[in-house]
Amino acid sequence: MQFTDLKTQYAALKSSVDARIQRVLDHGQYIMGPEVAELEGALAAFAGAKHCVTVASGTEALLIALMALDLKPGDEVVTTPFTFAATAETIVLAGATPVFVDIEADTCNIDASLIEAGITAKTKAIMPVSLYGQVADMAAINAIAARHGLAVIEDAAQSFGAMYQDRRSCALSTFGATSFFPSKPLGCYGDGGALFTDDAALAQAAREIRVHGQSARYTHTRVGVGGRMDTLQCAVVLAKLERFGWELERRAEIGARYQQLLAGVEQVAVRPDRNSVWAQFTVLVDERAAVQAALKAQGIPTAVHYPLALHRQPAYARFGHADACPVSLRAAERVLSLPMSADLSQADQDRVVAALRQALQ
Ligand SMILES: Cc1ncc(COP(=O)(O)O)c(C=O)c1O
């Protein structure tokens, strides 16, 4: 059993993926070829945002969004420590300081009720993470941002396609930033990502930053990065979009089935006004290492997202006291993600559930 089954997906999409890739090989415009604009149009329409800018990765999407906001050294960005390193990494790379506030124990997303305590005169933005595929409490976060005049960047690396109060992840705030890392709900065959915004000036800034800050060829108006998404990877995502609606339905079914079959086992909760695209299906267990070993012995792969809160990581320890954010510290000890993909069979899912129940006895 694979943790994320990309082989079955490729088998189903082979003719479209191969044809899309062949078309790029035939026209040869490997950088900024026609598939780039085609994908940006399709993704903006899907997400319901006015502008989409594809970029080299989810990390680059976050960095470019922060750069477009013109952060200065000393500026602060409020975020969660219970996330992949890229969230805080890009804040530091943009010259700002991450301010960690704790998460909700049940959803593992940032606890909006704690955000205001983290806001100072230096705060410029809030960067919630829509962890495991479920959008954070964006209405509350946007309201706080409006009160304090802050930008909001949704780290939507794991939540592309998710719904929040009838709108889609990535189209809920100043910027939405997603990843097309192969194992993400919508993935390519390498690195890729996208930024979404309704603000034309910010979209233009992001377009310039992605090509070394050029407003015209060899006119470097601002400092940028080499942050384009390859035409070939855009072609792969275009092919994958053909089946994405079906995949979201399958993910919803498989997630609901896990929830039902694992009743009584502590799980990451999903709020009623939103769904999860189940980038991960995650349970919370004690003695996680033993549970993981028991599943591994039965050939069932699992993963931990993430084993350490960022303020416990050497690179980010200076941004928070080691004992801060106790809910994140506890979640980091207990979370365990189970095999999940649109092509997970019922038989495999039953095997995962039986093995987990046995390990928890
Ligand atoms: C929450 C979060 N943020 C950012 C990223 C970075 O995305 P990428 O790997 O495409 O750079 C990831 C991907 O792993 C992620 O899970």
Side-chain angles (χ1 to χ4, degrees):
M1 192 186 311
Q2 297 165 68
F3 187 70
T4 311
D5 181 1
L6 294 176
K7 288 189 180 153
T8 306
Q9 185 197 46
Y10 175 60
L13 284 168
K14 185 174 175 11
S15 58
S16 311
V17 170
D18 292 3
R20 281 276 186 186
I21 288 177
Q22 189 60 52
R23 210 174 302 161
V24 178
L25 297 175
D26 289 339
H27 69 55
Q29 295 177 58
Y30 297 114
I31 301 295
M32 300 305 284
E35 283 78 4
V36 177
E38 185 183 349
L39 179 62
E40 289 175 348
L43 292 176
F46 182 89
K50 285 199 183 125
H51 309 277
C52 169
V53 183
T54 56
V55 293
S57 66
T59 306
E60 215 70 15
L62 294 171
L63 179 62
I64 292 172
L66 288 159
M67 289 175 78
L69 294 173
D70 280 331
L71 298 182
K72 294 184 307 298
D75 286 347
E76 294 174 355
V77 179
V78 175
T79 191
T80 158
F82 192 60
T83 177
F84 183 59
T87 314
E89 177 182 63
T90 51
I91 295 169
V92 178
L93 285 173
T97 302
V99 173
F100 295 125
V101 308
D102 214 349
I103 57 169
E104 300 168 336
D106 58 347
T107 67
C108 293
N109 275 332
I110 193 167
D111 185 338
S113 72
L114 302 177
I115 288 177
E116 262 175 325
I119 292 176
T120 71
K122 295 176 183 167
T123 308
K124 280 288 164 60
I126 307 171
M127 193 188 273
V129 178
S130 296
L131 200 71
Y132 302 143
Q134 175 183 204
V135 173
D137 197 356
M138 205 55 82
I141 293 166
N142 283 337
I144 295 166
R147 272 203 296 282
H148 296 269
L150 308 175
V152 177
I153 301 170
E154 180 194 8
D155 181 343
Q158 302 182 11
S159 61
F160 191 74
M163 298 297 298
Y164 176 89
Q165 298 178 355
D166 302 326
R167 289 162 64 202
R168 292 240 188 235
S169 174
C170 287
L172 302 166
S173 53
T174 317
F175 272 119
T178 198
S179 163
F180 303 126
F181 188 84
S183 58
K184 296 291 192 252
L186 181 62
C188 58
Y189 289 157
D191 277 309
L195 263 180
F196 297 82
T197 184
D198 281 344
D199 184 314
L202 287 177
Q204 183 58 28
R207 286 186 193 285
E208 292 177 11
I209 293 167
R210 130 179 113 169
V211 288
H212 304 282
Q214 292 175 94
S215 51
R217 193 162 169 78
Y218 297 127
T219 302
H220 300 270
T221 311
R222 49 167 82 235
V223 174
V225 293
R228 296 163 302 226
M229 183 164 164
D230 294 345
T231 312
L232 276 169
Q233 297 302 345
C234 290
V236 171
V237 177
L238 279 166
K240 290 221 193 169
L241 270 179
E242 287 174 18
R243 198 173 90 129
F244 189 53
W246 177 85
E247 289 191 4
L248 287 178
E249 283 170 28
R250 286 294 299 138
R251 283 180 171 279
E253 284 162 21
I254 293 166
R257 194 160 181 272
Y258 261 140
Q259 285 178 312
Q260 204 184 340
L261 295 175
L262 290 172
V265 176
E266 197 176 335
Q267 312 170 9
V268 170
V270 180
R271 297 266 185 265
D273 64 346
R274 65 202 83 162
N275 69 0
S276 176
V277 288
W278 303 114
Q280 312 297 339
F281 189 92
T282 304
V283 294
L284 295 112
V285 297
D286 296 326
E287 294 175 41
R288 179 178 62 202
V291 174
Q292 256 194 308
L295 266 65
K296 190 174 176 198
Q298 297 201 33
I300 295 168
T302 56
V304 173
H305 308 95
Y306 297 89
L308 270 187
L310 290 185
H311 59 298
R312 286 278 178 98
Q313 291 283 1
Y316 303 100
R318 67 192 154 110
F319 299 114
H321 189 278
D323 295 332
C325 303
V327 183
S328 299
L329 297 179
R330 179 125 176 84
E333 288 172 356
R334 301 185 65 228
V335 289
L336 181 67
S337 299
L338 306 177
M340 179 73 207
S341 44
D343 294 294
L344 182 68
S345 69
Q346 279 204 0
D348 279 349
Q349 189 176 24
D350 289 341
R351 233 161 47 77
V352 175
V353 169
L356 180 61
R357 285 218 174 268
Q358 194 185 356
L360 291 175
Q361 264 170 16

